[in-house]
Amino acid sequence: MNKAIIVTGGAGFIGSNFVNEWLAQSDVQVINLDCLTYAGNMENLSALKEDPRHVFVKGGIGDSALVSRLLNQYQPYAVINFAAESHVDRSIHAPEDFIQTNIVGTFRLLEAARIYWNGLSSEDKANFRFLHVSTDEVYGSLKKDDPAFAETNRYEPNSPYSASKAASDHLVRAYHHTYGLPVLTTNCSNNYGPYHFPEKLIPLIIANALADKGLPVYGDGQQIRDWLYVADHCSGIRCVLEAGRIGETYNIGGWNEMANIDIVHTVCALLDEARPRQDGKSYREQIVFVTDRPGHDRRYAIDASKIEKELGWRPAETFATGIRKTVQWYLANPEWVANVQSGAYRDWVETNYAGRNQ
Ligand code: NAD
Ligand code: TYD
């Protein structure tokens, strides 16, 4: 079997966690293709700087010539597609990039993979996998008492982000059914953990709390998400890559539904304990309720029983252990946060929060 994989988007939050963990456990070379948007950060990969098992290539998944060259040169036995525009609020302000990367980019990646796969020997063809990393948001929004999302739920995406991910999932499915490409798709719930860009709820709350800024909670803060520690998402992906049935989709989740306001309270309590405010008050004092996100999905919940029963995967962390590790990581890495809070990031904060009433 060939001894390389291509990972796309491996300088982002989940992709960089995946690459770091992969190379901590395996000597299979990783070709990391990432065009380094605002969300891509080489610092996330600094531990691999001198490591010949990690080959970083700056480029886009939509660059068919580049992708074909990499496939032919490195002869990978898998492509794992993390590359995406991933922030719902940005997709509301500027959807175009989401269409280009998540839909057109995934299509071009699939097409290059199909041509490469067609040219492989029958043994390598049988071993090849295209694993597409997707989200639970494609299923839409649940009511309070609805059962959690199963793989059989219909797709009802509500934001430009989730609609673009849904479209990419459909293309992946079609490449299996039409051309026989050996694909796998994972649909995961909200991740949290190290290297999470501080535009998303948990790292934003930690960064703002420590900077003595407001902690913005959209609407009534009662929206529910199912949170999974990023290392558990990565172990789920490895599990599906190794043993998932070709053409199948697998939901990955932490059985951990929580309202946003409870997440914010938990983070405040951990910070109160680890880094108390100088005035002795709780970080909760900094919470501000702001205008809600348009079309805000009320509840996501993942039924992860398929991956558990078929592949024996289970999350290693509970929310209590994972969020503690996460807060500790941010406290230990203030320079990482300072470095990503670049000029471009400050412009985004202005765009997203300036128009919201408190
Ligand atoms: P992220 O925004 O942190 O990282 C995305 C990475 O992709 C960045 O490094 C960026 O530079 C790169 N990228 C963007 N466009 C590219 C292109 N055209 N070509 C090559 N690279 C490109 O995202 P994330 O949170 O790490 O999410 C990774 C994947 O997991 C996404 O597909 C996302 O939809 C999915 N997902 C995320 C979550 C979550 O909670 N963050 C949950 C479920 C699924
Ligand atoms: P986010 O981290 O952006 O992930 P997603 O939209 O993919 O679920 O947001 C998580 C939840 O937190 C979501 O319900 C929106 C909410 N939220 C806030 O209340 N305030 C904020 O400043 C942000 C960024 C998100």
Side-chain angles (χ1 to χ4, degrees), residues 26-310:
S26 147
D27 282 331
V28 172
Q29 191 176 36
V30 175
I31 316 306
N32 185 349
L33 174 66
D34 193 304
C35 68
L36 297 180
T37 66
Y38 77 94
N41 185 350
M42 291 306 288
E43 269 189 57
N44 301 1
L45 301 161
S46 56
L48 302 173
K49 239 182 202 158
E50 308 295 328
D51 194 327
R53 299 171 306 160
H54 179 238
V55 177
F56 184 80
V57 180
K58 184 174 183 305
I61 56 170
D63 183 343
S64 306
L66 173 63
V67 174
S68 296
R69 181 171 70 67
L70 295 175
L71 287 163
N72 290 322
Q73 183 177 346
Y74 292 100
Q75 299 282 307
Y77 68 86
V79 172
I80 305 174
N81 183 30
F82 292 92
E85 289 293 334
S86 69
H87 189 35
V88 174
D89 292 317
R90 284 185 192 255
S91 84
I92 294 167
H93 288 280
E96 175 79 28
D97 288 347
F98 290 72
I99 307 306
Q100 286 308 327
T101 287
N102 300 1
I103 306 179
V104 179
T106 303
F107 156 68
R108 296 223 177 109
L109 187 66
L110 279 164
E111 190 57 7
R114 178 181 74 82
I115 293 165
Y116 162 74
W117 174 74
N118 264 332
L120 293 175
S121 68
S122 50
E123 192 194 343
D124 288 344
K125 241 179 149 171
N127 287 329
F128 183 79
R129 298 288 183 273
F130 184 104
L131 192 152
H132 180 60
V133 179
S134 193
T135 166
D136 60 356
E137 303 194 25
V138 297
Y139 298 120
S141 184
L142 292 169
K143 297 202 175 58
K144 197 167 154 277
D145 298 319
D146 284 346
F149 300 130
E151 289 79 358
T152 47
N153 271 56
R154 60 180 266 191
Y155 273 32
E156 292 182 347
N158 292 321
S159 71
Y161 164 65
S162 53
S164 67
K165 289 298 291 187
S168 66
D169 292 8
H170 291 322
L171 284 167
V172 171
R173 176 187 161 88
Y175 266 68
H176 175 62
H177 282 267
T178 304
Y179 304 112
L181 188 71
V183 305
L184 297 156
T185 300
T186 54
N187 294 89
C188 189
S189 56
N190 283 58
N191 285 214
Y192 66 97
Y195 304 121
H196 203 182
F197 197 84
E199 64 181 354
K200 305 278 173 82
L201 180 69
I202 289 177
L204 180 92
I205 294 301
I206 299 171
N208 279 17
L210 296 173
D212 203 19
K213 292 183 179 158
L215 312 181
V217 175
Y218 295 168
D220 62 3
Q222 293 302 327
Q223 301 80 12
I224 290 170
R225 299 288 181 268
D226 179 346
W227 295 91
L228 182 69
Y229 191 63
V230 64
D232 283 323
H233 185 188
C234 294
S235 76
I237 291 170
R238 289 195 301 272
C239 210
V240 171
L241 183 66
E242 270 164 34
R245 282 184 293 134
I246 289 172
E248 291 290 314
T249 68
Y250 292 88
N251 284 352
I252 307 181
W255 302 105
N256 179 67
E257 289 183 53
M258 278 179 80
N260 291 339
I261 190 67
D262 297 328
I263 294 285
V264 176
H265 286 162
T266 304
V267 170
C268 288
L270 287 167
L271 288 173
D272 288 340
E273 185 188 311
R275 184 74 56 84
R277 268 176 37 157
Q278 286 190 340
D279 63 6
K281 292 184 178 162
S282 168
Y283 286 99
R284 278 190 187 213
E285 300 276 324
Q286 289 166 234
I287 293 173
V288 277
F289 288 88
V290 300
T291 308
D292 208 351
R293 171 187 281 173
H296 198 171
D297 284 339
R298 199 69 185 161
R299 175 177 165 239
Y300 304 142
I302 278 275
D303 177 344
S305 41
K306 179 174 171 181
I307 187 172
E308 289 179 3
K309 282 194 194 121
E310 264 190 33

